[in-house]
Amino acid sequence: MKDDQTVDWVTLAADATSSARAYADAVHDRVAQRIAPGGSIEADLAEREQHIVHGFAWIATAAEAMTAVTGWAERARDRGRFGRIEELVLKIAFGEYCAQIAGGLPMSQNEFVRPSDFGLVERAEEFAASDAARSFIIKGNTADNRAALAAMLADGGRPFEAFGDETLDMIRDQFRSFTRNRITPNAHQWHLADQLIPIKVVEEMAELGVFGVCITEEYGGLGLGKSAMCLVSEELSRGWICAGSLGTRSEIAGELIGENGTEEQKAKFLPKLANGSMLPTAVFTEPDTGSDLASVRTRATIAEDGTWRLKGAKTWITHAARADLMTVLCRTNPDKAGYGSLSMLLAEKTRGNDENPFPDAGIAGDEIEVLGYRGMKEYTLGFEDFAVAADGLLGGEEGKGFKQLMRTFEGARIQTAARAIGVGWNAFDLGLAYALERKQFGKTLLSFPRVSDKLAMMVCELVMARELTYAAARRKDRGVRCDIEAGMAKLLAARVAWANADNALQIHGGNGYALEYPISRVLCDARILNIFEGAGEIQAQVIARGLVTSRRNHG
C-alpha cells in the first residue's frame, strides 16, 4: 500500500467502485438463482427470500452511490476544486461503504445484510482485499480523518457542490438565500402552531417559479428539468420540508397533464399550475390499499348531465383543503379488476379554509393529526357523487390512469430524495451549531470525538446521497429511463436524512427532546421520508426486481 501522501484517491475511488459493482453483480447472480430459477421472477420465491432481495437492492444502491461520488470527485478535480475537504469526504465515505459492503450493510436500525446471506463470504473477502477497497477501509474512515473533517466543517468549510452550469448554480444561490431569509426563521413557529405555510409565502415562492420549474415555457413554466427541480427542493427543504414539498404537488400534476393531457387540458391547467394560482393535490392512496394501487376502489361514473361523479374514500391527501385541483386515481369500470380500469380525473374544487375546509357538495374531509410534516396538513377524503367536469378525464381516455401515474414516479422519487437531502442538511446545520455553542466540562461539545464523528459522517453520507440523486436527475433530463436510479436515490437519501436527524438530536441531548428546539421538528419531519412516495421496503423490492429483470432480459 502506498504512502498516504502519494495516493491518487480519485483514481483509487474509481477502482474501488469497479470492484464494488463487480461484487454487486455477484450478489445479483445469487439472488436471481434463488428467485428466478427458470428465468422469470417467481412471486412466491421473491417474497420468501425478501431479506436477500432487499439486501441486494441496498448493496446495488451503495455501489451506485460510489459511482456517483466518483464522478463528483472527478468533476471537482477537473475544475481545480478537489481540495483537502473533498479528499476527506471521499476517503471517509468510501472507507465506510466499502467496509459495509464487505462486512454488513444496514437496511434499518436492526436489519443487516451480510455476505453470508448470499453464500459469498469468500467473494466479499476478495473485494475487501483488493488494493483500492483495502486502502479505503484501512486509511479512509479513521478517527484522525473524521476529526480533521469536523474541524474544517466547524470553520465553515463545505464540500464542492457546484454544477458548473451558470443557471443551476444561480438557482441554488437564489433559493438558499430565500430559504435563509423567509423559511428558516419561521419554520419552527409554523410547525408548533400546526398551521399551513402562510399564503403570502406561497405567493412569494410562486413568483420565484417554484411551481413551474419543469413545466415548459410554452405554458408559462421555466422548462428547466429535474436537476433544477432537485436544487429547488433541496434548498427549500433545508429550511423546512413542507416548503420543499409544496412544489411536489405541482410537479406531479404538471407532469401528469404535460405528458398525458389533451391540448385543451394543457392550455387550461398548466399556466395556472406554473404561476401558482392553482394549487393541486394528488389523490391516489386509499384506506387499506397503501402501495397496492391495483386495489383502488374509488369509482367514477357518468351522470345524465355528462359529468363524472366520484364515490369513495381516500386518505393521506396532502394540502387537500387549500388545493384547487385534485388529480384523482379512480376506477371507471367497476366491473373490471386490476390496473386496466383505473383512470385519472382532473377534479377542480373550491379552495377551503380553516373554518370550511371543503365547501363543495359531494366532498368531505377530516384532518389527520401528524407528528411532523405539518405545513400542508394531511386529510382523509370522502366522495359522494362529487361532480367532475365531463372533460376532466386525463387525456380523454379511460383505463390509462395507472400507466399515466407510473410515468410520474421517477420525478416524484427524485424530488423526494432531494427533499431528504435538504432535511439532512438542516439536521447537520442544527447539530453543528449546537455542538459549537454548548459547553460541557469546560469545552464545546464539538471537542468530543463522538460528537465530531457524528457531524463528519453526516456530511459524508449527504454527499453520497446527494450525488446519487443528482445523477438520477441528469439521467432523467437526458430522457433516459431512470426508475431504478430514482428508487435508489430515494432509498438512500431517506435513510441518511433520518440518521442525520437522529444523530443531531443526540448531540442536543435532553434539549433535543424539548419541543422548543427546532431539531425536534426535523426529527419528526425526517421520519416520513422513508414512507411516502414508496416505503423503503417497497423501494428495495422495486429496485431488486427491476435489476434482476433487466439483467435477465439483456444477458
Side-chain angles (χ1 to χ4, degrees):
M1 188 181 299
K2 293 181 180 180
D3 180 82
D4 197 43
Q5 299 299 318
T6 64
V7 173
D8 180 351
W9 290 102
V10 179
T11 298
L12 211 61
D15 293 341
T17 296
S18 179
S19 297
R21 294 181 74 92
Y23 176 71
D25 287 344
V27 173
H28 165 275
D29 293 343
R30 289 297 175 91
V31 171
Q33 291 168 13
R34 301 270 279 275
I35 69 172
S40 298
I41 295 175
E42 297 181 23
D44 59 333
L45 293 179
E47 183 173 317
R48 189 183 73 192
E49 300 287 357
Q50 201 171 75
H51 182 83
I52 65 166
V53 171
H54 292 192
F56 165 50
W58 275 105
I59 290 168
T61 295
E64 195 67 29
M66 291 172 66
T67 302
V69 172
T70 297
W72 162 80
E74 291 171 345
R75 290 191 301 275
R77 181 187 60 187
D78 292 345
R79 294 168 189 166
R81 296 289 302 278
F82 190 78
R84 177 60 174 160
I85 195 167
E86 288 74 27
E87 179 184 304
L88 287 168
V89 167
L90 183 66
K91 290 165 70 174
I92 294 168
F94 269 49
E96 179 59 30
Y97 277 52
C98 285
Q100 288 185 6
I101 290 171
L105 193 153
M107 297 191 290
S108 72
Q109 289 92 330
N110 65 356
E111 296 172 286
F112 292 80
V113 61
R114 306 187 191 282
S116 57
D117 295 325
F118 309 102
L120 290 173
V121 172
E122 291 183 1
R123 182 68 183 78
E125 290 173 348
E126 290 175 9
F127 162 72
S130 65
D131 287 343
R134 184 166 179 262
S135 294
F136 279 110
I137 290 172
I138 294 176
K139 294 189 174 183
N141 188 15
T142 65
D144 286 345
N145 284 342
R146 293 192 299 272
L149 177 58
M152 296 186 75
L153 295 169
D155 286 340
R158 296 294 182 268
F160 176 71
E161 64 181 5
F163 266 74
D165 178 288
E166 185 177 349
T167 298
L168 293 178
D169 289 337
M170 181 186 69
I171 287 172
R172 186 192 292 283
D173 292 341
Q174 181 183 34
F175 279 92
R176 184 166 293 177
S177 176
F178 174 80
T179 298
R180 184 186 302 115
N181 295 323
R182 297 294 290 125
I183 305 298
T184 302
N186 303 302
H188 201 55
Q189 175 187 339
W190 295 333
H191 164 82
L192 292 177
D194 194 13
Q195 66 185 58
L196 294 169
I197 296 178
I199 195 65
K200 186 179 188 309
V201 177
V202 176
E203 291 168 352
E204 291 174 11
M205 292 169 64
E207 291 175 5
L208 289 172
V210 169
F211 306 115
V213 172
C214 294
I215 293 175
T216 62
E217 294 180 272
E218 175 186 1
Y219 294 107
L222 301 179
L224 290 175
K226 304 303 180 186
S227 294
M229 178 265 291
C230 272
L231 290 177
V232 171
S233 300
E234 178 186 338
E235 292 303 328
L236 289 172
S237 297
R238 192 166 182 168
W240 192 20
I241 188 175
C242 296
S245 295
L246 266 174
T248 307
R249 314 306 118 195
S250 297
E251 170 72 18
I252 293 172
E255 190 164 359
L256 276 171
I257 297 168
E259 301 238 345
N260 306 288
T262 64
E263 291 305 314
E264 293 76 14
Q265 288 169 342
K266 293 177 186 178
K268 178 180 180 179
F269 293 112
L270 291 180
K272 295 178 182 178
L273 291 173
N275 67 24
S277 61
M278 176 175 277
L279 298 176
T281 187
V283 185
F284 308 144
T285 305
E286 296 188 358
D288 303 322
T289 63
S291 299
D292 183 14
L293 295 179
S295 298
V296 162
R297 299 174 65 183
T298 296
R299 62 184 185 273
T301 56
I302 300 177
E304 291 183 0
D305 62 0
T307 62
W308 292 94
R309 297 302 174 109
L310 273 171
K311 185 178 181 65
K314 295 287 186 177
T315 191
W316 293 110
I317 310 306
T318 306
H319 214 210
R322 189 188 259 174
D324 310 292
L325 174 68
M326 301 179 290
T327 52
V328 185
L329 186 68
C330 58
R331 200 170 294 281
T332 50
N333 184 351
D335 297 326
K336 186 175 181 182
Y339 301 114
S341 67
L342 294 178
S343 301
M344 191 71 69
L345 289 186
L346 304 176
E348 295 181 76
K349 61 177 280 293
T350 302
R351 184 180 295 190
N353 53 42
D354 289 339
E355 291 73 33
N356 189 8
F358 299 99
D360 295 315
I363 181 174
D366 291 305
E367 184 181 346
I368 302 171
E369 295 186 2
V370 292
L371 291 171
Y373 195 52
R374 295 177 176 179
M376 294 184 290
K377 296 187 179 290
E378 302 292 326
Y379 296 88
T380 59
L381 296 182
F383 297 106
E384 186 64 47
D385 289 330
F386 179 77
V388 180
D391 60 357
L393 181 65
L394 181 61
E397 291 185 86
E398 291 188 51
K400 303 292 185 181
F402 182 73
K403 290 183 179 179
Q404 291 166 342
L405 180 59
M406 286 294 289
R407 295 190 191 108
T408 72
F409 281 177
E410 291 180 348
R413 286 170 179 165
I414 290 171
Q415 191 185 51
T416 300
R419 285 183 282 172
I421 294 161
V423 171
W425 276 115
N426 195 353
F428 167 77
D429 293 338
L430 293 170
L432 177 61
Y434 193 83
L436 287 170
E437 295 168 3
R438 179 75 167 178
K439 289 188 176 181
Q440 290 282 285
F441 308 105
K443 50 188 176 182
T444 65
L445 291 181
L446 189 68
S447 303
F448 297 95
R450 286 294 303 280
V451 172
S452 60
D453 282 353
K454 288 177 174 61
L455 292 164
M457 286 307 304
M458 284 184 201
V459 169
C460 291
E461 286 215 290
L462 278 169
V463 171
M464 296 291 281
R466 183 189 71 189
E467 295 307 317
L468 182 60
T469 302
Y470 290 176
R474 292 187 185 99
R475 188 177 175 91
K476 180 73 172 175
D477 286 339
R478 293 196 301 270
V480 181
R481 181 176 176 178
C482 65
D483 55 333
I484 293 173
E485 291 80 3
M488 288 177 167
K490 197 265 183 186
L491 185 72
L492 180 60
R495 187 185 73 185
V496 170
W498 173 249
N500 282 16
D502 189 32
N503 280 310
L505 190 145
Q506 188 73 15
I507 290 171
H508 281 68
N511 284 338
Y513 207 61
L515 290 179
E516 66 180 281
Y517 282 81
I519 190 59
S520 66
R521 177 193 82 244
V522 176
L523 184 82
C524 293
D525 289 345
R527 191 60 189 87
I528 193 61
L529 287 159
N530 199 31
I531 297 174
F532 64 18
E533 299 298 345
E537 292 78 8
I538 294 293
Q539 213 66 233
Q541 186 85 354
V542 169
I543 293 166
R545 289 179 67 96
L547 289 172
V548 170
T549 300
S550 62
R551 283 278 299 277
R552 287 276 162 153
N553 289 343
H554 296 92

